[in-house]
Amino acid sequence: MTEKKVALVTGAGGGMGLPTVRRLVADGFRVAALDLNTTELKKMIEDEGLDAVAYEFDATSEERCRAVVAQVKADFGRIDAFVNMIGWTASSRFVEEQSGYWQKLVAINFMPVVYMSHAIAPIMIEQGGGKMLFVTSDAGKVGTSGEAVYAGLKGGVIAFAKSVAREWARYKINVNCTAPGPTDTPLEADQDPELVARRMKVIPFRRMAKPEEQASAIAFFVSDDANYITGQVLSISGGLTMQ
Ligand SMILES: NC(=O)c1ccc[n+]([C@@H]2O[C@H](COP(=O)([O-])OP(=O)(O)OC[C@H]3O[C@@H](n4cnc5c(N)ncnc54)[C@H](O)[C@@H]3O)[C@@H](O)[C@H]2O)c1
């Protein structure tokens, strides 16, 4: 019997995270599911009997990121896929913001991808390959009013992904991004209702994505069906952005 593949998923307890854990388990992965808050995650894993383990960690700490990667490697023996879903923003006018807010955005939206992928890449290199998928945002491709710094950081993650995709292709590590548009999760519920209503009008499908529709694209990129795809960014946004 072949050994099951292992996926390490961060932001696993969030609106997109929970259905992604469920989907990856259904696709045959054993899942290490990481989040700052694991209450709902643990409940889902137990209630549904999923082949997954929840780990609580704060991804703004490089030390904690490195420690949890080492723990997952020790517990599961390997890491075949890494999915980063951690992200956060509020919505405000850039000129009215303070630098403390920007520092928090950098710490949550950019640095965890750097810390985690730096810790995980050597494991994948030793194993002979792997898949990384960073959940970014259409904001990082086309900008969004009310989310200027978040958009800049998501664009930074996209450029980072393309750069490491080039560096790591020789190790058979694929690095890709999904770029969700508005998706029906608690993160979107925190947004300014006026801005959300305005955005709905420009989405050809006239509705937000369901979190499961984000999970299915993520599952594709970490599957063998994506073996020849790297450095790409796929918008899952009901046609909001077309390229
Ligand atoms: N929901 C949307 O409309 C939307 C649109 C575009 C992009 N995105 C992106 O999709 C991803 C998932 O978003 P979501 O809607 O599921 O959001 P969410 O808020 O439901 O989930 C994000 C998860 O990240 C976790 N997290 C936050 N800070 C953390 C930290 N320091 N350490 C560890 N975990 C931490 C949270 O606990 C939460 O469970 C994010 O990267 C977000 O930026 C979402």
Side-chain angles (χ1 to χ4, degrees), residues 28-44:
F29 281 95
R30 303 184 68 205
V31 178
L34 283 55
D35 205 292
L36 192 59
N37 180 347
T38 55
T39 312
E40 254 193 271
L41 196 49
K42 282 182 176 153
K43 187 174 179 323
M44 180 186 77

Side-chain angles (χ1 to χ4, degrees), residues 11 13-17 35-37 57-60 85-88 108-109 135-137 150 154 180-183 185-188:
M16 267 178 225
D35 205 292
L36 192 59
N37 180 347
F57 88 129
D58 181 353
T60 62
M85 259 178 298
I86 292 171
W88 174 80
I108 295 176
N109 292 290
V135 177
T136 64
S137 172
Y150 168 82
K154 289 295 193 179
T183 304
T185 73
L187 181 67
E188 192 61 32

Side-chain angles (χ1 to χ4, degrees), residues 14 27 40 71 109 117 120 122 124 131 136 145-146 175 182 200 214-215 219 228:
D27 286 1
E40 254 193 271
Q71 188 62 54
N109 292 290
S117 52
I120 291 168
M124 291 184 171
K131 301 256 178 4
T136 64
S145 54
V175 189
M200 281 320 110
Q214 301 297 342
Y228 198 58

Side-chain angles (χ1 to χ4, degrees), residues 81-237:
F82 165 46
V83 176
N84 182 76
M85 259 178 298
I86 292 171
W88 174 80
T89 187
S91 126
S92 51
R93 307 284 169 206
F94 177 62
V95 286
E96 291 159 12
E97 294 169 358
Q98 307 293 323
S99 78
Y101 172 58
W102 302 333
Q103 299 316 319
K104 185 174 171 184
L105 287 171
V106 174
I108 295 176
N109 292 290
F110 192 75
M111 294 316 298
V113 181
V114 175
Y115 300 146
M116 294 297 291
S117 52
H118 193 264
I120 291 168
I123 296 169
M124 291 184 171
I125 291 169
E126 198 191 323
Q127 284 169 194
K131 301 256 178 4
M132 295 198 188
L133 185 282
F134 307 149
V135 177
T136 64
S137 172
D138 260 356
K141 294 171 75 179
V142 297
T144 315
S145 54
E147 297 176 351
V149 177
Y150 168 82
L153 294 164
K154 289 295 193 179
V157 172
I158 289 170
F160 172 75
K162 290 177 178 175
S163 304
V164 289
R166 290 179 190 279
E167 287 192 23
W168 295 339
R170 77 198 66 173
Y171 304 117
K172 298 194 179 72
I173 299 175
N174 307 56
V175 189
N176 292 292
C177 298
T178 56
T183 304
D184 193 6
T185 73
L187 181 67
E188 192 61 32
D190 288 345
Q191 303 300 302
D192 174 354
E194 197 189 307
L195 283 176
V196 173
R198 222 179 300 150
R199 270 186 231 149
M200 281 320 110
K201 285 193 187 143
V202 293
I203 299 174
F205 279 138
R206 296 282 192 276
R207 66 167 177 87
M208 285 198 236
K210 296 175 198 151
E212 291 76 12
E213 291 168 324
Q214 301 297 342
S216 52
I218 294 166
F220 165 72
F221 277 112
V222 299
S223 76
D224 286 344
D225 288 338
N227 280 352
Y228 198 58
I229 303 173
T230 199
Q232 304 304 309
V233 187
L234 180 68
S235 286
I236 300 122
S237 58

